[in-house]
Amino acid sequence: MDIRRLDLNLLLLLDGLFRTQNLSALSRELGMSQPMASTGLRKLRDFFGDPLFLSTGRGMRPTPFAESIAEAVRTVLSTVDQQILRKPRFVPEESDRVFTV
């Protein structure tokens, strides 16, 4: 697998499906159309070579492969959110910088 072929935004869709197990509800939550969410799931299936989620009468059930990557996906998203997207805050009491006026 080549990570350059994966749209990393699709990891949000994958993580949301682990949580909700309902593509229609997730598409509303993410503010996208249901067909757009279905297209994203198809791309994920193609990339991983696994169905990832199987339709049931009550939503979608993750495959064993999807179960095996769920925690790693959640960790990646958390790391990006907390270590890349958050701006560091300046706390004067903790700073050792010297300012000259």
Side-chain angles (χ1 to χ4, degrees), residues 65-78:
F65 175 75
E67 290 280 354
S68 75
I69 65 171
E71 188 58 37
V73 168
R74 194 164 292 117
T75 299
V76 165
L77 292 173
S78 177

Side-chain angles (χ1 to χ4, degrees), residues 4-63:
R4 294 173 294 183
R5 288 185 44 240
L6 177 63
D7 178 351
L8 296 179
N9 289 311
L10 293 177
L11 293 182
L12 293 170
L13 181 73
L14 187 57
D15 184 57
L17 275 173
F18 291 126
R19 221 175 356 86
T20 65
Q21 297 189 0
N22 186 306
L23 192 63
S24 296
L26 178 62
S27 64
R28 286 189 299 275
E29 180 182 310
L30 294 176
M32 63 174 52
S33 67
Q34 196 279 334
M36 189 175 175
S38 291
T39 298
L41 179 57
R42 183 185 47 77
K43 289 178 181 179
L44 286 165
R45 287 172 166 163
D46 290 346
F47 180 80
F48 287 111
D50 187 88
L52 298 174
F53 292 87
L54 304 173
S55 292
T56 68
R58 297 183 157 178
M60 303 189 83
R61 177 179 46 85
T63 64

Side-chain angles (χ1 to χ4, degrees), residues 89-97 99:
R89 240 181 49 176
F90 178 69
V91 180
E93 298 82 24
E94 297 174 6
S95 176
D96 60 355
R97 293 176 61 188
F99 293 90

